[in-house]
Amino acid sequence: MRLGATMPDAQRVELVRSMAETVVAACVPLPVAVVCDDPEVARWAEALGATVMWEPGQGLNGAVRAGVDQLAAAGVEWVTVAHGDLPRARDIGSLPPFAGITLVPDRHDDGTNVLRLRTESDFGFAYGPGSFRAHRAEAARIGAPVRILRIPALAYDVDWPTDVDEL
């Protein structure tokens, strides 16, 4: 999130925590795992009943891959990756089944806010600018069918100060 220069730290922390709690609540009835490398985030996640997967120094894409691999090793077959900056999130835990990869793009068709796939897939995560396009290309590379869901409540993410203004 790029809000540090426009929002006092305490306010930014409160916003981030509120959005992440909204995302965790939207995942019901799925169990939630939080991949992180921050002790405060780990304590927060544990307090919410989430499983914490400690992955320091991985960067976002490495951390997601490591979390998916840990879940696969634990016998989980499907994973839904949702980021914590979705203030309007709901019904993540009830996305309809699909045999391939489900992508929920942001409202600009640039980022990937939610992604669902089999844990055993050889999918290379590519979060960051242009991730929606990159994730579609990656699904094609591994030969996986893609379903794109445009869900307004999941399309709204907060990355920039103007996103906060729209809230």
Side-chain angles (χ1 to χ4, degrees), residues 44-127:
W44 167 85
E46 287 173 346
L48 289 177
T51 298
V52 173
M53 297 181 165
W54 192 257
E55 289 294 337
Q58 298 282 341
L60 178 56
N61 293 309
V64 172
R65 179 78 260 165
V68 170
D69 290 346
Q70 282 189 45
L71 291 168
V76 174
E77 292 182 38
W78 288 91
V79 64
T80 301
V81 179
H83 297 286
D85 64 345
L86 308 175
R88 298 176 178 161
R90 64 173 195 255
D91 302 326
I92 295 170
S94 60
L95 290 175
F98 177 69
I101 296 173
T102 297
L103 300 174
V104 180
D106 68 12
R107 65 195 184 281
H108 307 292
D109 275 355
D110 183 57
T112 308
N113 286 353
V114 179
L115 188 152
R116 184 174 186 270
L117 74 163
R118 294 187 68 83
T119 57
E120 67 187 25
S121 73
D122 185 29
F123 190 85
F125 295 97
Y127 288 104

Side-chain angles (χ1 to χ4, degrees), residues 103 123-124 126 130-144 146:
L103 300 174
F123 190 85
S131 70
F132 179 52
R133 182 181 65 255
H135 287 146
R136 287 182 307 186
E138 180 63 6
R141 182 193 70 80
I142 65 172
V146 174

Side-chain angles (χ1 to χ4, degrees), residues 139-156:
R141 182 193 70 80
I142 65 172
V146 174
R147 171 181 62 175
I148 297 169
L149 297 178
R150 297 186 188 284
I151 303 171
L154 299 178
Y156 190 87

Side-chain angles (χ1 to χ4, degrees), residues 15-67:
L15 172 65
V16 169
R17 188 169 285 146
S18 173
M19 289 189 298
E21 288 172 359
T22 296
V23 171
V24 169
C27 290
V28 171
L30 300 175
V32 174
V34 174
V35 181
C36 68
D37 64 356
D38 180 280
E40 186 175 337
V41 171
R43 285 189 295 277
W44 167 85
E46 287 173 346
L48 289 177
T51 298
V52 173
M53 297 181 165
W54 192 257
E55 289 294 337
Q58 298 282 341
L60 178 56
N61 293 309
V64 172
R65 179 78 260 165

